[in-house]
Amino acid sequence: MLALVTGASRGIGAACARRLAADGYTVLVHYHRAAGMAEALAAEIGGTAVQADLGDFSQIDRMTARIHEQLGRVDLLVNNAGIALNGLFQEVSDQDAMRLFLVNVGGVMHTAKRLLPDMLHAHRGCIVNIASVWGECGAACEVHYSAAKAAVIGFTKALAQEVGPSGIRVNCVSPGVIDTDMNAGHDADTMAALAGETPLGCIGQPADIADAVAFLASDRARFITGQILPVNGGFYL
């Protein structure tokens, strides 16, 4: 079984790659710039590192074409890669906002679009998208990020309805506050406050998300599609 995990050089993506490899997948470790980290992880888990800027559809086309020609059908796509923006809505530049949507929404949709034909032909496959709690409830000073992740949730539900009759399942994991580089910019007080707002009283780990992805990718979730699985410690109910 072949799995492509986007944004897999570190954080949640790396945790997903390790977990899926442990479950028997051959994992394609996608990266944009962190070649060294991706190649080291691929060597560790017996996978292959693949590169593309997911904000450039022509690069996605080249990456997926190479995968198809050299390795065959991708059985599982984990759309994890994404970028964040912090700041007041009116102060975020149009260029930064469009780049965020291009990667976080366009990259997710276009990667799925390019891998779906093989899944449709085989009448089987699985897609797991990584959204965010902010896509469910919204966050001040993260308006663009929240909107993009809400779009990922909508995409998940709509695509699941469209490709379900072809035996393909599409689901979404919605993380809460997770200990990743994306949250590394917060100071200790902010992280402590976020932990305090979480009923379970702690910050999540990348492995928590990887476990949810592995479940949705497995036969144990064979009758689950179009669903949003919150992994947030009760942060948003």
Side-chain angles (χ1 to χ4, degrees), residues 30-33 50-56 59-60 63 66:
H30 163 266
Y31 69 96
H32 178 201
R33 294 191 179 94
V50 294
Q51 191 277 336
D53 175 357
L54 299 187
D56 182 340
Q59 292 193 34
I60 295 175
M63 176 185 71
R66 285 196 301 270

Side-chain angles (χ1 to χ4, degrees), residues 12-13 16 79-80 128-137 145 149 152-153 172-180 182-183 204-206 208-210 212-213 228-236:
I12 290 172
C16 289
N79 274 314
N80 165 74
V128 181
N129 300 316
I130 307 298
S132 169
V133 64
W134 303 134
E136 297 180 80
C137 66
Y145 182 78
K149 290 302 187 179
V152 170
I153 290 172
C172 182
V173 175
S174 182
V177 183
I178 307 297
D179 185 14
T180 64
M182 190 174 285
N183 288 317
Q205 296 299 314
D208 297 321
I209 308 305
V213 169
I228 313 306
L229 176 57
V231 184
N232 62 30
F235 186 88
Y236 178 68

Side-chain angles (χ1 to χ4, degrees), residues 52-62 99 102-103 107 110:
D53 175 357
L54 299 187
D56 182 340
F57 288 6
S58 66
Q59 292 193 34
I60 295 175
D61 292 344
R62 288 194 293 271
R99 170 68 181 174
L102 198 56
V103 172
H110 197 71

Side-chain angles (χ1 to χ4, degrees), residues 72-162:
R73 184 187 77 247
V74 170
D75 301 286
L76 168 63
L77 168 61
V78 180
N79 274 314
N80 165 74
I83 56 178
L85 277 177
N86 292 292
L88 293 173
F89 173 68
Q90 67 269 26
E91 293 180 359
V92 173
S93 72
D94 293 342
Q95 181 179 3
D96 286 345
M98 292 311 298
R99 170 68 181 174
L100 182 144
F101 270 86
L102 198 56
V103 172
N104 291 13
V105 182
V108 166
M109 296 179 70
H110 197 71
T111 303
K113 186 176 185 179
R114 287 294 176 257
L115 295 180
L116 266 172
D118 281 347
M119 293 183 181
L120 291 167
H121 184 263
H123 217 72
R124 65 187 301 270
C126 183
I127 298 172
V128 181
N129 300 316
I130 307 298
S132 169
V133 64
W134 303 134
E136 297 180 80
C137 66
C141 295
E142 292 193 64
V143 172
H144 296 89
Y145 182 78
S146 298
K149 290 302 187 179
V152 170
I153 290 172
F155 169 65
T156 298
K157 291 177 175 290
L159 186 63
Q161 294 188 59
E162 184 168 314

